Amino acid sequence: MQRIKCTVSYDGTAFNGYQVQPGQRTVQGVLEKALTKVHKGKFVKVISSGRTDAGVHAIGQVFHFDTDFSIPEEKWPVVLNSILPDEVVIVSAKYVQDDFHARYSVKQKEYRYKVMLGKRRSPFTRDFSLYYPYQLDLEAIQIAARYFIGEHDFTSFCSTKTDKEDKVRTIHNIKVEQDDLELTFSFTGNGFLYNMVRIIVGTLLEVGSGRKKPEEIPVILNKRDRKAAGKTAAAHGLYLWQVQYEEN
Amino acid sequence: MQRIKCTVSYDGTAFNGYQVQPGQRTVQGVLEKALTKVHKGKFVKVISSGRTDAGVHAIGQVFHFDTDFSIPEEKWPVVLNSILPDEVVIVSAKYVQDDFHARYSVKQKEYRYKVMLGKRRSPFTRDFSLYYPYQLDLEAIQIAARYFIGEHDFTSFCSTKTDKEDKVRTIHNIKVEQDDLELTFSFTGNGFLYNMVRIIVGTLLEVGSGRKKPEEIPVILNKRDRKAAGKTAAAHGLYLWQVQYEEN
């Protein structure tokens, strides 16, 4: 058996999230179906860096699987992409050591969140960024964003539906950049809780529109109460951008 | 009664083309439905600069309608966009003279066609550009494109399903520009026949991949035979970009 690390990009619009659920069309589901087909009906389990919610996209989600087929690594994307639906594209594949694990070996993840500003919404970005037609104070957002950097208990910025006990995570960096009408939030960190990026973005948008002050962020963090933070920003603006590992 | 000129942008993916057809979801159909709703059930006819095919998009399609409602012109987009589906957005509206006609007053149209190059297709552009993973000779395409500029009989570059007798049109300019992996063809002209842009693009791609020589273009034009030209490029790469009028 050989272990393969794959990088996959997907449009999350037409899926009921990443993780396999009975009777639902999920990204993991179509990946396992394609791999099982390649392996002539023998079920192949896919282990990813983590799940993404319904409507959330990925540029560089990572997963691994084990195979006894010896196909050259550069052929794996070609074989799988010929079977996968158009919304899911294998970007690269690589044979790795047996101790590589797509979830446990993660060193850092990057998420991006896209917001489209402007007087009129665009019919072309409606599934790919949050349309936000209101005035935003970019400087206030930048100031507020800095309070999240570092190690914090993110209970206030985590869905109450989580099953994780430990809510302490480290955000390495947050960038907020505007290019014409597109505002992009980039987050890098050692891990992110359930809905964490979307709740941070929702809260930063409240800061940007004047409903919260930047100085309230540390207060909200200290409350460790989901109700203290802002609304969860819509799923369709969020992208799992890349996953970094110790090696590979 | 007052005449209103509207500019509309739409994602053509989910429509069976522009023109109203019984039992089909069309762009004109949803526009007339929205306008009829605003006019409390009184049918409002929409006249556009021309139809677009199923899957073809628009950045700046133009239509006109007549109304006896006196709403300030800047309010029309707000009212209509609140009713229209997300795939159709009214960009602007303007009261115009009674002799303005969205079809007959057209001075010039611009179409653009987008092609996505690269080793892997992207799940995010699959409905919005043609994926073309083969090597292209951009210089050969540029040379070939120049032969189309000017007044020509475009019979070879028109679907045989057309109902137009006169196949003479003038192309003012063709630009072919590459930005990273995106190749954009821009066409301006006094009018375009059925499938004309898509057949020209399909033929230029055959030139780019070496299956045809640039010097064959004048020969194909002279043949006045659809079979002499290349394949019709897929609808989903095409955009009606803007429509220009004498005034307004």
Side-chain angles (χ1 to χ4, degrees):
Chain A
M1 292 290 264
Q2 273 200 288
R3 183 154 290 187
I4 297 194
K5 175 196 176 197
C6 279
T7 302
V8 60
S9 178
Y10 50 83
D11 169 1
T13 313
F15 292 100
N16 288 303
Y18 179 83
Q19 200 174 37
V20 162
Q21 291 178 71
Q24 304 280 346
R25 187 171 185 258
T26 68
V27 180
Q28 188 188 349
V30 301
L31 290 171
E32 290 181 344
K33 196 174 158 190
L35 278 165
T36 301
K37 190 173 174 185
V38 170
H39 290 78
K40 296 167 182 169
K42 193 185 143 199
F43 177 72
V44 178
K45 175 88 185 156
V46 155
I47 310 281
S48 77
S49 76
R51 66 188 83 167
T52 53
D53 283 345
V56 174
H57 312 294
I59 298 295
Q61 166 72 292
V62 174
F63 67 89
H64 79 253
F65 65 93
D66 294 321
T67 184
D68 44 18
F69 275 38
S70 32
I71 302 177
E73 58 186 15
E74 70 274 16
K75 291 288 177 206
W76 275 107
V78 179
V79 168
L80 291 170
N81 289 334
S82 73
I83 303 171
L84 286 164
D86 282 354
E87 304 101 301
V88 181
V89 176
I90 305 293
V91 178
S92 63
K94 203 179 168 188
Y95 285 103
V96 289
Q97 300 292 326
D98 285 358
D99 62 354
F100 172 85
H101 191 285
R103 184 148 97 243
Y104 301 136
S105 312
V106 172
K107 188 183 156 201
Q108 177 174 289
K109 279 187 181 181
E110 178 177 357
Y111 278 94
R112 294 196 186 175
Y113 194 96
K114 293 192 186 188
V115 176
M116 195 57 72
L117 309 170
K119 203 170 84 169
R120 306 271 180 248
R121 59 190 164 80
S122 159
F124 301 103
T125 58
R126 68 188 196 282
D127 293 329
F128 306 116
S129 58
L130 175 72
Y131 176 54
Y132 198 83
Y134 315 104
Q135 280 288 96
L136 281 178
D137 179 345
L138 202 60
E139 211 186 316
I141 292 177
Q142 307 264 21
I143 294 166
R146 268 175 240 140
Y147 288 108
F148 290 104
I149 297 171
E151 189 182 80
H152 299 282
D153 181 319
F154 283 98
T155 304
S156 298
F157 296 89
C158 176
S159 166
T160 54
K161 289 181 207 148
T162 185
D163 53 6
K164 296 264 166 65
E165 284 292 317
D166 178 13
K167 309 280 178 33
V168 176
R169 294 292 183 278
T170 300
I171 292 185
H172 301 311
N173 200 17
I174 304 182
K175 276 193 294 186
V176 188
E177 289 169 315
Q178 190 173 343
D179 178 15
D180 194 15
L181 293 174
E182 190 179 67
L183 190 65
T184 304
F185 297 78
S186 311
F187 299 81
T188 52
N190 66 351
F192 293 88
L193 297 161
Y194 189 27
N195 282 355
M196 179 170 147
V197 175
R198 290 166 57 190
I199 300 169
I200 294 177
V201 170
T203 306
L204 288 175
L205 290 174
E206 293 186 15
V207 171
S209 60
R211 281 169 289 158
K212 281 192 167 62
K213 290 198 168 62
E215 308 79 58
E216 289 180 59
I217 301 299
V219 181
I220 298 169
L221 279 164
N222 279 333
K223 281 195 178 157
R224 291 167 205 196
D225 176 3
R226 170 66 190 90
K227 290 193 288 293
K231 282 188 183 155
T232 307
H236 65 273
L238 186 61
Y239 295 74
L240 174 52
W241 204 263
Q242 60 171 327
V243 187
Q244 290 183 319
Y245 294 88
E246 293 296 336
E247 292 167 64
N248 300 299
Chain B
M1 293 291 265
Q2 273 200 287
R3 183 155 289 188
I4 297 192
K5 175 196 175 195
C6 278
T7 302
V8 59
S9 178
Y10 50 82
D11 169 1
T13 313
F15 293 99
N16 288 304
Y18 178 83
Q19 199 174 39
V20 163
Q21 291 179 70
Q24 305 280 346
R25 187 170 184 259
T26 67
V27 180
Q28 187 189 350
V30 302
L31 289 171
E32 289 180 344
K33 196 175 158 189
L35 278 164
T36 301
K37 189 173 175 184
V38 171
H39 291 78
K40 296 169 182 169
K42 192 187 145 200
F43 178 71
V44 178
K45 175 88 185 156
V46 155
I47 309 280
S48 77
S49 77
R51 66 188 83 168
T52 54
D53 283 346
V56 174
H57 313 294
I59 298 295
Q61 167 71 291
V62 173
F63 67 90
H64 79 253
F65 65 93
D66 295 321
T67 185
D68 45 18
F69 275 38
S70 32
I71 303 177
E73 57 186 18
E74 69 274 16
K75 291 288 177 205
W76 275 107
V78 180
V79 168
L80 291 171
N81 288 334
S82 72
I83 303 171
L84 285 164
D86 282 354
E87 303 102 301
V88 181
V89 176
I90 304 292
V91 178
S92 64
K94 203 179 168 189
Y95 285 104
V96 288
Q97 300 291 326
D98 284 358
D99 63 352
F100 172 84
H101 191 284
R103 185 149 95 243
Y104 302 136
S105 312
V106 172
K107 188 182 155 200
Q108 177 174 287
K109 279 188 180 180
E110 179 177 356
Y111 277 94
R112 294 197 186 175
Y113 194 97
K114 293 194 185 186
V115 176
M116 195 57 75
L117 308 170
K119 202 169 84 169
R120 307 271 181 250
R121 59 189 163 81
S122 159
F124 302 104
T125 58
R126 67 189 194 284
D127 292 328
F128 306 116
S129 58
L130 175 72
Y131 176 54
Y132 198 83
Y134 314 104
Q135 281 288 98
L136 280 179
D137 179 345
L138 202 60
E139 211 187 316
I141 292 177
Q142 306 265 20
I143 294 166
R146 267 175 240 140
Y147 288 108
F148 290 104
I149 297 172
E151 189 182 78
H152 299 283
D153 182 319
F154 283 98
T155 304
S156 298
F157 296 89
C158 175
S159 166
T160 54
K161 289 181 207 148
T162 185
D163 54 6
K164 295 265 166 63
E165 284 292 317
D166 177 14
K167 309 280 178 34
V168 176
R169 295 292 183 279
T170 301
I171 292 187
H172 300 312
N173 200 16
I174 304 183
K175 277 193 294 187
V176 188
E177 290 170 315
Q178 190 172 343
D179 178 15
D180 195 15
L181 293 175
E182 191 180 67
L183 190 64
T184 304
F185 297 79
S186 311
F187 299 82
T188 51
N190 66 350
F192 293 88
L193 296 161
Y194 189 27
N195 283 355
M196 180 168 147
V197 174
R198 291 166 58 190
I199 300 169
I200 293 177
V201 169
T203 306
L204 288 174
L205 290 173
E206 294 186 15
V207 169
S209 61
R211 281 169 289 158
K212 280 191 167 62
K213 291 197 167 63
E215 307 80 58
E216 290 179 58
I217 301 299
V219 180
I220 298 169
L221 279 164
N222 279 333
K223 281 195 178 158
R224 289 165 206 196
D225 176 4
R226 170 67 189 90
K227 291 194 288 294
K231 281 188 184 154
T232 307
H236 65 272
L238 186 62
Y239 296 73
L240 173 52
W241 205 263
Q242 61 170 329
V243 186
Q244 289 183 319
Y245 294 88
E246 293 296 338
E247 290 168 65
N248 301 300

